[in-house]
Amino acid sequence: MMHVKFLDGQVKQLLIDGRHVPARSGRCFDSINPANGKLLAQVAQGAAEDIDLAVQAARRAFEGAWSTFNPYDRQMALLRLADLVDAHADELGALDTLDMGGPVAYAASRRQRAVAMLRYYAGQATTVHGQTIDNSQPGDIFTYTVKEPLGVVGAIIPWNGPLFMAIWKIAPALAAGCTVVLKPAEQAPLSSLRLGELCLEAGIPPGVVNVVPGFGAAGAALAEHPDVDKITFTGSTEVGQKIIRASAGNIKRVTVELGGKSPNIVFADADLDAAVPGAAMAIFANSGQVCSAGSRLFVERPIYDEFVEKVAAFANRLRVGDPMDPATQMGPVVSHEQLERVVGYLGVGREQGARLAAGGARISEGALAAGYFVRPTVFADVRDDMRIAREEIFGPVVAALPFDDIEDVVRRGNATTFGLGSGIWTRSIGNAHRVAKGLKAGSVWVNCYQQMDPAMPFGGYKMSGYGREGGAAHVEEFMNTKAVWIKTA
Ligand code: NAP
Ligand code: MG
């Protein structure tokens, strides 16, 4: 195994107020490498009392050291952090690969995304501001608005893109002038802890970014905490609903980026050489553990059989293996629990009458048997009412459904409680525009899939959540607007 300095055999402690501290309970939990089921590191298990200490530290930093940082100071701090993340990209990338199984083959693009994200938000620190506004009241009254940071932000993230998720929460919060308590997922806490250290090295004062790994109870304590001003959450719809309920206690702001069951629509006139790998990697990338994965593959009937056959052949050729091997295209799923969940859906698909065109099982022999590997799976002849076509599996499993015309596919594409991603493959600009207009989803990708850019907003319709991450408006979700009225005569 590659040597990663951070994995030194010591218990990885919480990071509160710039110090490594054990959990008050003294408890730890195991972080497991999903490629072989072995222990990677023991991690201090934060709970409500640790969250409370972290929130207190974040409040002191918000009112103290961090409040003396003007916009340019915050910009420079984020730029220094970007440089450090760039310089430590191999280490951070390896931590995520070991912790959750995302192939190292994609480390270069992950690095680019993380660094570009930090630099984008660094720019926002000096460009988001209030306005002077002409009012129409009698007398001379000068009116303007001021943008002020909300305060202490609780960031709760899942395990499917740990470093990127942490940065996507921390960077806009810091650009706005907020302080943060980050609760990473129990399955992949390591890169968040290392990122917290790099924040200190970048000159971000102690207490501005606190990292408290733990289980759901730690997340719940953060969501309920009366001195937290906002929760920014990515994860399951079920937990998102709990967080919204918990927010009522002190009317804290909430943004939630939740699950999906995204339609990926292939018309008969599409460039099939692009659409086949596009449709396959829309679901197999990151072992299908992507909230906006193209998990419902709608194919126009005249090319349905041929196209499904080609996607199945692509799935069978995909190199599944040790994610630390640069030749590997698909690694394991994140945990034993997730493995059981995905394998359960493979059974459900068969029982409800879908036809297996590729995959359909765990890899249970050879070198991969000790890890949580699932064969890339294509279910054909799927009906809209089958569970595999309705529920988020969050694994490398695609449901292929035939469609007849635009009205049919837009209606069925939207017949879900979710609305996160969507894809369209066609050479017809008319098809592209009509379907892009008709789909109720936060992102529409035409002749591509899963493109992301810091300047583009990302988020959900319907039960995929609300709030947008990325884009110029994101930082404002961490700010209050104050209206000031000054009678001048
Ligand atoms: P999850 O349970 O929603 O977990 C997301 C985060 O919320 C984790 O940090 C989790 O902590 C924390 N959490 C759990 N219970 C909480 C509570 N009551 N209050 C506050 N925070 C709480 O998601 P998961 O267990 O990782 O995955 C389950 C399913 O969610 C997946 O199979 C998939 O369908 C969906 N999912 C969606 C996304 C997405 O990007 N939209 C990402 C991941 C998962 P612990 O993990 O430490 O308990
Ligand atoms: Mg792990």
PDB file of all heavy atoms in Angstrom, residues 223-224 237-252 254 466:
ATOM      1  N   ALA A 223     -27.269  20.065  13.666  1.00  0.00           N
ATOM      2  CA  ALA A 223     -28.506  20.571  13.048  1.00  0.00           C
ATOM      3  C   ALA A 223     -29.434  21.202  14.089  1.00  0.00           C
ATOM      4  O   ALA A 223     -30.184  22.132  13.783  1.00  0.00           O
ATOM      5  CB  ALA A 223     -29.224  19.434  12.320  1.00  0.00           C
ATOM      6  N   GLU A 224     -29.365  20.685  15.317  1.00  0.00           N
ATOM      7  CA  GLU A 224     -30.247  21.211  16.384  1.00  0.00           C
ATOM      8  C   GLU A 224     -29.636  22.376  17.142  1.00  0.00           C
ATOM      9  O   GLU A 224     -30.341  23.070  17.881  1.00  0.00           O
ATOM     10  CB  GLU A 224     -30.506  20.093  17.417  1.00  0.00           C
ATOM     11  CG  GLU A 224     -31.517  19.073  16.974  1.00  0.00           C
ATOM     12  CD  GLU A 224     -31.372  17.762  17.751  1.00  0.00           C
ATOM     13  OE1 GLU A 224     -30.710  17.738  18.820  1.00  0.00           O
ATOM     14  OE2 GLU A 224     -31.911  16.758  17.260  1.00  0.00           O
ATOM     15  N   THR A 237     -32.147  12.081   1.143  1.00  0.00           N
ATOM     16  CA  THR A 237     -33.365  12.868   1.310  1.00  0.00           C
ATOM     17  C   THR A 237     -33.927  12.682   2.715  1.00  0.00           C
ATOM     18  O   THR A 237     -34.381  13.644   3.345  1.00  0.00           O
ATOM     19  CB  THR A 237     -34.393  12.457   0.237  1.00  0.00           C
ATOM     20  OG1 THR A 237     -33.844  12.824  -1.043  1.00  0.00           O
ATOM     21  CG2 THR A 237     -35.723  13.163   0.418  1.00  0.00           C
ATOM     22  N   GLU A 238     -33.854  11.462   3.226  1.00  0.00           N
ATOM     23  CA  GLU A 238     -34.394  11.168   4.560  1.00  0.00           C
ATOM     24  C   GLU A 238     -33.696  12.014   5.643  1.00  0.00           C
ATOM     25  O   GLU A 238     -34.351  12.621   6.501  1.00  0.00           O
ATOM     26  CB  GLU A 238     -34.196   9.679   4.826  1.00  0.00           C
ATOM     27  CG  GLU A 238     -34.834   9.188   6.086  1.00  0.00           C
ATOM     28  CD  GLU A 238     -34.324   7.789   6.454  1.00  0.00           C
ATOM     29  OE1 GLU A 238     -33.596   7.169   5.651  1.00  0.00           O
ATOM     30  OE2 GLU A 238     -34.652   7.344   7.566  1.00  0.00           O
ATOM     31  N   VAL A 239     -32.375  12.054   5.607  1.00  0.00           N
ATOM     32  CA  VAL A 239     -31.646  12.860   6.596  1.00  0.00           C
ATOM     33  C   VAL A 239     -31.873  14.352   6.326  1.00  0.00           C
ATOM     34  O   VAL A 239     -31.995  15.147   7.264  1.00  0.00           O
ATOM     35  CB  VAL A 239     -30.148  12.489   6.624  1.00  0.00           C
ATOM     36  CG1 VAL A 239     -29.376  13.439   7.535  1.00  0.00           C
ATOM     37  CG2 VAL A 239     -29.967  11.052   7.113  1.00  0.00           C
ATOM     38  N   GLY A 240     -31.971  14.718   5.061  1.00  0.00           N
ATOM     39  CA  GLY A 240     -32.280  16.115   4.721  1.00  0.00           C
ATOM     40  C   GLY A 240     -33.571  16.572   5.380  1.00  0.00           C
ATOM     41  O   GLY A 240     -33.660  17.686   5.924  1.00  0.00           O
ATOM     42  N   GLN A 241     -34.583  15.703   5.373  1.00  0.00           N
ATOM     43  CA  GLN A 241     -35.859  16.056   6.017  1.00  0.00           C
ATOM     44  C   GLN A 241     -35.682  16.241   7.526  1.00  0.00           C
ATOM     45  O   GLN A 241     -36.261  17.149   8.122  1.00  0.00           O
ATOM     46  CB  GLN A 241     -36.903  14.967   5.729  1.00  0.00           C
ATOM     47  CG  GLN A 241     -37.345  14.964   4.278  1.00  0.00           C
ATOM     48  CD  GLN A 241     -38.218  13.774   3.939  1.00  0.00           C
ATOM     49  OE1 GLN A 241     -37.954  12.647   4.357  1.00  0.00           O
ATOM     50  NE2 GLN A 241     -39.273  14.010   3.166  1.00  0.00           N
ATOM     51  N   LYS A 242     -34.862  15.374   8.126  1.00  0.00           N
ATOM     52  CA  LYS A 242     -34.608  15.513   9.578  1.00  0.00           C
ATOM     53  C   LYS A 242     -33.932  16.848   9.872  1.00  0.00           C
ATOM     54  O   LYS A 242     -34.223  17.511  10.878  1.00  0.00           O
ATOM     55  CB  LYS A 242     -33.702  14.382  10.070  1.00  0.00           C
ATOM     56  CG  LYS A 242     -34.393  13.039  10.139  1.00  0.00           C
ATOM     57  CD  LYS A 242     -33.450  12.018  10.771  1.00  0.00           C
ATOM     58  CE  LYS A 242     -34.027  10.617  10.656  1.00  0.00           C
ATOM     59  NZ  LYS A 242     -33.076   9.576  11.020  1.00  0.00           N
ATOM     60  N   ILE A 243     -33.010  17.227   9.019  1.00  0.00           N
ATOM     61  CA  ILE A 243     -32.267  18.470   9.244  1.00  0.00           C
ATOM     62  C   ILE A 243     -33.192  19.684   9.120  1.00  0.00           C
ATOM     63  O   ILE A 243     -33.111  20.622   9.916  1.00  0.00           O
ATOM     64  CB  ILE A 243     -31.069  18.537   8.278  1.00  0.00           C
ATOM     65  CG1 ILE A 243     -29.993  17.574   8.794  1.00  0.00           C
ATOM     66  CG2 ILE A 243     -30.537  19.955   8.134  1.00  0.00           C
ATOM     67  CD1 ILE A 243     -28.851  17.352   7.880  1.00  0.00           C
ATOM     68  N   ILE A 244     -34.077  19.627   8.144  1.00  0.00           N
ATOM     69  CA  ILE A 244     -35.019  20.742   7.981  1.00  0.00           C
ATOM     70  C   ILE A 244     -35.899  20.852   9.238  1.00  0.00           C
ATOM     71  O   ILE A 244     -36.117  21.944   9.761  1.00  0.00           O
ATOM     72  CB  ILE A 244     -35.870  20.547   6.712  1.00  0.00           C
ATOM     73  CG1 ILE A 244     -34.971  20.684   5.474  1.00  0.00           C
ATOM     74  CG2 ILE A 244     -37.019  21.555   6.666  1.00  0.00           C
ATOM     75  CD1 ILE A 244     -35.614  20.214   4.186  1.00  0.00           C
ATOM     76  N   ARG A 245     -36.349  19.699   9.748  1.00  0.00           N
ATOM     77  CA  ARG A 245     -37.167  19.735  10.979  1.00  0.00           C
ATOM     78  C   ARG A 245     -36.361  20.313  12.137  1.00  0.00           C
ATOM     79  O   ARG A 245     -36.848  21.164  12.884  1.00  0.00           O
ATOM     80  CB  ARG A 245     -37.635  18.324  11.342  1.00  0.00           C
ATOM     81  CG  ARG A 245     -38.835  17.900  10.558  1.00  0.00           C
ATOM     82  CD  ARG A 245     -39.381  16.551  11.046  1.00  0.00           C
ATOM     83  NE  ARG A 245     -39.945  15.861   9.907  1.00  0.00           N
ATOM     84  CZ  ARG A 245     -39.435  14.781   9.333  1.00  0.00           C
ATOM     85  NH1 ARG A 245     -38.358  14.199   9.844  1.00  0.00           N
ATOM     86  NH2 ARG A 245     -39.994  14.258   8.268  1.00  0.00           N
ATOM     87  N   ALA A 246     -35.109  19.856  12.274  1.00  0.00           N
ATOM     88  CA  ALA A 246     -34.282  20.316  13.400  1.00  0.00           C
ATOM     89  C   ALA A 246     -33.995  21.806  13.305  1.00  0.00           C
ATOM     90  O   ALA A 246     -33.782  22.472  14.326  1.00  0.00           O
ATOM     91  CB  ALA A 246     -32.972  19.521  13.436  1.00  0.00           C
ATOM     92  N   SER A 247     -34.000  22.338  12.104  1.00  0.00           N
ATOM     93  CA  SER A 247     -33.657  23.753  11.913  1.00  0.00           C
ATOM     94  C   SER A 247     -34.706  24.676  12.508  1.00  0.00           C
ATOM     95  O   SER A 247     -34.435  25.856  12.752  1.00  0.00           O
ATOM     96  CB  SER A 247     -33.501  24.067  10.426  1.00  0.00           C
ATOM     97  OG  SER A 247     -34.771  24.110   9.789  1.00  0.00           O
ATOM     98  N   ALA A 248     -35.911  24.147  12.739  1.00  0.00           N
ATOM     99  CA  ALA A 248     -37.006  25.005  13.212  1.00  0.00           C
ATOM    100  C   ALA A 248     -36.713  25.593  14.592  1.00  0.00           C
ATOM    101  O   ALA A 248     -37.180  26.686  14.910  1.00  0.00           O
ATOM    102  CB  ALA A 248     -38.319  24.222  13.240  1.00  0.00           C
ATOM    103  N   GLY A 249     -35.909  24.896  15.396  1.00  0.00           N
ATOM    104  CA  GLY A 249     -35.639  25.318  16.765  1.00  0.00           C
ATOM    105  C   GLY A 249     -35.164  26.759  16.861  1.00  0.00           C
ATOM    106  O   GLY A 249     -35.663  27.528  17.684  1.00  0.00           O
ATOM    107  N   ASN A 250     -34.197  27.142  16.040  1.00  0.00           N
ATOM    108  CA  ASN A 250     -33.747  28.536  16.065  1.00  0.00           C
ATOM    109  C   ASN A 250     -33.880  29.183  14.678  1.00  0.00           C
ATOM    110  O   ASN A 250     -33.208  30.157  14.381  1.00  0.00           O
ATOM    111  CB  ASN A 250     -32.299  28.655  16.582  1.00  0.00           C
ATOM    112  CG  ASN A 250     -31.294  28.046  15.609  1.00  0.00           C
ATOM    113  OD1 ASN A 250     -31.628  27.151  14.828  1.00  0.00           O
ATOM    114  ND2 ASN A 250     -30.071  28.536  15.637  1.00  0.00           N
ATOM    115  N   ILE A 251     -34.739  28.602  13.838  1.00  0.00           N
ATOM    116  CA  ILE A 251     -34.978  29.138  12.479  1.00  0.00           C
ATOM    117  C   ILE A 251     -33.645  29.319  11.753  1.00  0.00           C
ATOM    118  O   ILE A 251     -33.390  30.346  11.136  1.00  0.00           O
ATOM    119  CB  ILE A 251     -35.782  30.475  12.519  1.00  0.00           C
ATOM    120  CG1 ILE A 251     -36.899  30.429  13.555  1.00  0.00           C
ATOM    121  CG2 ILE A 251     -36.365  30.815  11.149  1.00  0.00           C
ATOM    122  CD1 ILE A 251     -38.077  29.545  13.207  1.00  0.00           C
ATOM    123  N   LYS A 252     -32.777  28.323  11.844  1.00  0.00           N
ATOM    124  CA  LYS A 252     -31.500  28.466  11.128  1.00  0.00           C
ATOM    125  C   LYS A 252     -31.719  28.269   9.633  1.00  0.00           C
ATOM    126  O   LYS A 252     -32.669  27.602   9.206  1.00  0.00           O
ATOM    127  CB  LYS A 252     -30.434  27.512  11.680  1.00  0.00           C
ATOM    128  CG  LYS A 252     -30.788  26.053  11.656  1.00  0.00           C
ATOM    129  CD  LYS A 252     -29.595  25.173  12.029  1.00  0.00           C
ATOM    130  CE  LYS A 252     -29.139  25.226  13.481  1.00  0.00           C
ATOM    131  NZ  LYS A 252     -30.104  24.690  14.456  1.00  0.00           N
ATOM    132  N   VAL A 254     -31.079  26.748   5.999  1.00  0.00           N
ATOM    133  CA  VAL A 254     -30.726  25.403   5.559  1.00  0.00           C
ATOM    134  C   VAL A 254     -30.609  25.378   4.040  1.00  0.00           C
ATOM    135  O   VAL A 254     -31.460  25.949   3.350  1.00  0.00           O
ATOM    136  CB  VAL A 254     -31.809  24.374   5.971  1.00  0.00           C
ATOM    137  CG1 VAL A 254     -31.413  22.973   5.527  1.00  0.00           C
ATOM    138  CG2 VAL A 254     -32.041  24.371   7.472  1.00  0.00           C
ATOM    139  N   TYR A 466     -32.989  22.081  -2.090  1.00  0.00           N
ATOM    140  CA  TYR A 466     -33.015  23.473  -2.506  1.00  0.00           C
ATOM    141  C   TYR A 466     -31.743  24.192  -2.087  1.00  0.00           C
ATOM    142  O   TYR A 466     -31.003  23.733  -1.228  1.00  0.00           O
ATOM    143  CB  TYR A 466     -34.257  24.205  -1.991  1.00  0.00           C
ATOM    144  CG  TYR A 466     -34.563  24.045  -0.528  1.00  0.00           C
ATOM    145  CD1 TYR A 466     -33.840  24.714   0.450  1.00  0.00           C
ATOM    146  CD2 TYR A 466     -35.612  23.224  -0.108  1.00  0.00           C
ATOM    147  CE1 TYR A 466     -34.134  24.583   1.796  1.00  0.00           C
ATOM    148  CE2 TYR A 466     -35.925  23.079   1.236  1.00  0.00           C
ATOM    149  CZ  TYR A 466     -35.176  23.768   2.180  1.00  0.00           C
ATOM    150  OH  TYR A 466     -35.483  23.630   3.511  1.00  0.00           O
TER     151      TYR A 466
END
